Amino acid sequence: MRPERLGSGAVIGGCLGLALLALPFADLASSVPQSGAAMLRMLRGFVTPDFSAIEDMGGALASTLAFALAGVAAGAAGGFALAPFWHRRGVRALSTALRSVHELFWALVLMQVLGISPAAGVLAIALPYAGIFAKVFAEQIEEADPRPAQLLPPRTDALSRFLWARLPLVAPAMLSYLLYRVECGLRSSAVLGFIGLPTLGFQLDTFFRQGAYSAAGAIMAIYILLIATLRLWLRPRALALWIGGAALWLAQIAHPPMGGGALWRFVTQDIIPAPLRMGAGAGAFLSWLGNILRHEALPGTLATLIVGQIALALTGMLAFAGFAAVVPRVAGRARPLGHLLLVVLRSFPEYMLAYLFLQLLGPSMLPAILALALHNGAIIAHLLGREAMLLPLRPDAPRGLVLWAWELAPRLSGRFVALCLYRWEIILRETAVMGLLGVATLGFYIDSALAELRVDRVLVLLAGAMAITAGADAVSRAIRRRMRG
């Protein structure tokens, strides 16, 4: 029997219901008694940026660009190589595994082998992006017009069919997506600064620790300008020059030397579960594994799901209300302000926003939830707003909130749910990494294990993070299929 088609209202209701169920288990208390005063000090610093306080702004800016461009280019190359083989289960599994692990987690693991080096930073971006590129490129290839390939002689090999009949059709779309990922790469590159790489995030972290909010405001202003003007300075024809320049810049960055044999020790000792490494047998291994699952993986997973679900519900509410801010017939003269607000919120990565909220609200789940909801809500609102402006309207259509409530919102509800489901996987992936800031998600336990150089425990916990992301992806695809009927 064919399952009943799932409506947008049922999906939205289910999402809100799960968020309400998660609320009693969420730690939302603010532990900073003078958060109002702290916020005023920060705001005063942000509106009076001090560019003179930054000693090496050019170097940090160039490094942020270089890590992003090199990482995205390497990831695109990897994804391009995997995409033609997407029909193979092993390739899809590898792609899922690569993109399920956050760039920060990749960087922390790679540093065990490569040290704090440009190679670790570039690979930390390239590996998850290769999984993302492979999936998107494969979808673009599948959706390409099959007729040119059908006109080729029957004995034409698969590679020739791809290069001469499919690639010319999808190359523009691939290039457009590549340029979009550069914006994401800039966010990833900046965040890598929080764990020691010489990007803008490192400068921001340093100034916040010193309480130099005006200098931090200058960093954030430059960062927003960098993202907002991306389409102006990154032209497709100059992309190769930018990537070559990035490689040259990264090659001259000095970094601490890594001891010889680090890779061999990592492969033959560090990642081997401790009981097996010491020859303790299968019983000791199962006990070791059970202890990690009970005391670290399970509580970390539950916290990740709680934060992610509440953040998803709040994301949806902000996006649904916020897309009106960029539609001229609804927002009127306030549209430029609404557009600017969405640009600022989506420019800052969730991790960076959570770091800011952490300074104001203290350690709890609240900074992570707010950061995730604001960033992802702004992205969905921006995309919905663009689609709303393309909808054909009657000449006598109303304006303002009446148009939003009675025309735009109902017509875009299906697209709204699809975007939220797509961002759900990303929100959970980002939620896990919030543990590096002290929130008790999976990242908290991964960070603790790395601090104790227990890489074997890290791999078990990373497998948990992969399972969460892969599960969210599978549920999301199943819901979308049910919605299509």
Side-chain angles (χ1 to χ4, degrees):
M1 180 179 175
R2 188 180 178 85
E4 188 179 348
R5 188 172 182 270
L6 205 56
S8 302
V11 178
I12 294 171
C15 174
L16 292 175
L18 288 174
L20 288 174
L21 288 175
L23 267 178
F25 303 99
D27 173 18
L28 304 177
S30 170
S31 59
V32 179
Q34 296 180 344
S35 58
M39 184 179 288
L40 284 177
R41 284 200 305 275
M42 278 192 186
L43 288 177
R44 195 179 300 121
F46 294 164
V47 298
T48 56
D50 183 5
F51 295 92
S52 64
I54 308 169
E55 293 182 359
D56 188 20
M57 171 55 74
L61 192 58
S63 294
T64 304
L65 276 170
F67 277 110
L69 289 167
V72 171
F80 184 76
L82 292 173
F85 308 101
W86 189 253
H87 58 281
R88 297 184 179 179
R89 185 174 298 174
V91 171
R92 293 199 301 274
L94 174 63
S95 169
T96 301
L98 288 173
R99 71 173 192 271
S100 296
V101 179
H102 194 277
E103 298 89 286
L104 278 176
F105 290 151
W106 275 117
L108 289 170
V109 172
L110 288 165
M111 283 177 182
Q112 308 302 311
V113 179
L114 302 170
I116 304 178
S117 65
V122 171
L123 285 174
I125 297 174
L127 289 172
Y129 279 36
I132 296 169
F133 273 117
K135 180 183 179 184
V136 174
F137 285 172
E139 290 173 350
Q140 291 173 337
I141 292 170
E142 287 175 2
E143 292 171 2
D145 189 347
R147 287 175 296 182
Q150 293 167 354
L151 295 176
L152 292 175
R155 293 185 178 179
T156 305
D157 61 88
L159 181 62
S160 297
R161 284 182 183 278
F162 171 69
L163 292 177
W164 297 103
R166 290 291 178 94
L167 184 58
L169 297 177
V170 298
M174 286 181 171
L175 181 59
S176 175
Y177 186 72
L178 173 64
L179 294 175
Y180 163 71
R181 291 308 304 185
V182 171
E183 179 181 331
C184 304
L186 286 170
R187 285 195 282 266
S188 301
S189 177
V191 165
L192 290 178
F194 285 87
I195 56 171
L197 291 168
T199 64
L200 288 172
F202 181 81
Q203 300 259 8
L204 191 65
D205 185 35
T206 303
F207 288 129
F208 264 110
R209 290 176 189 275
Q210 296 171 348
Y213 299 130
S214 291
I219 295 283
M220 290 192 290
I222 290 170
Y223 178 72
I224 292 171
L225 189 64
L226 182 69
I227 297 282
T229 60
L230 177 67
R231 299 285 173 179
L232 299 178
W233 53 264
L234 186 63
R235 297 291 184 179
R237 290 182 179 177
L239 191 57
L241 287 176
W242 277 107
I243 294 171
L248 291 175
W249 178 265
L250 292 173
Q252 57 82 43
I253 292 180
H255 57 89
M258 196 66 184
L263 178 59
W264 181 250
R265 188 185 65 246
F266 181 82
V267 174
T268 59
Q269 296 184 37
D270 294 349
I271 64 173
I272 306 296
L276 299 182
R277 191 168 61 236
M278 295 183 289
F285 167 72
L286 291 175
S287 174
W288 172 86
L289 184 61
N291 184 54
I292 297 174
L293 294 178
R294 280 194 307 275
H295 300 294
E296 298 182 14
L298 181 59
T301 299
L302 288 175
T304 301
L305 293 174
I306 288 170
V307 173
Q309 189 59 41
I310 297 173
L312 175 65
L314 192 54
T315 293
M317 287 189 274
L318 291 173
F320 204 62
F323 84 83
V326 294
V327 180
R329 291 180 67 102
V330 178
R333 293 179 180 177
R335 180 182 178 272
L337 183 61
H339 181 69
L340 176 65
L341 182 62
L342 293 186
V343 167
V344 170
L345 289 176
R346 74 172 197 267
S347 295
F348 279 102
E350 298 96 321
Y351 190 85
M352 199 180 286
L353 283 174
Y355 182 88
L356 295 176
F357 286 126
L358 201 62
Q359 313 302 313
L360 295 170
L361 304 173
S364 73
M365 292 179 175
L366 188 57
I369 291 171
L370 290 176
L372 290 161
L374 288 173
H375 176 79
N376 291 286
I379 289 176
I380 296 175
H382 167 72
L383 295 173
L384 282 177
R386 285 202 317 188
E387 295 192 20
M389 287 187 283
L390 296 176
L391 289 176
L393 299 173
R394 300 189 318 272
D396 61 341
R399 290 178 173 271
L401 290 178
V402 175
L403 176 67
W404 172 80
W406 295 99
E407 178 91 27
L408 299 181
R411 292 176 69 178
L412 289 171
S413 62
R415 183 61 180 152
F416 163 74
V417 172
L419 287 169
C420 286
L421 288 173
Y422 170 71
R423 296 301 301 185
W424 183 34
E425 173 191 335
I426 298 172
I427 287 173
L428 286 173
R429 180 173 171 270
E430 296 288 340
T431 302
V433 88
M434 292 297 173
L436 300 182
L437 293 173
V439 184
T441 59
L442 271 173
F444 175 81
Y445 298 97
I446 292 173
D447 191 37
S448 302
L450 278 170
E452 299 171 357
L453 298 178
R454 295 182 174 181
V455 181
D456 50 349
R457 300 174 79 94
V458 171
L459 294 186
V460 174
L461 295 169
L462 282 179
M466 287 182 187
I468 290 176
T469 307
D473 182 45
V475 172
S476 171
R477 279 188 283 110
I479 292 175
R480 288 200 298 268
R481 277 199 301 272
R482 288 284 305 277
M483 290 182 69
R484 287 193 294 267

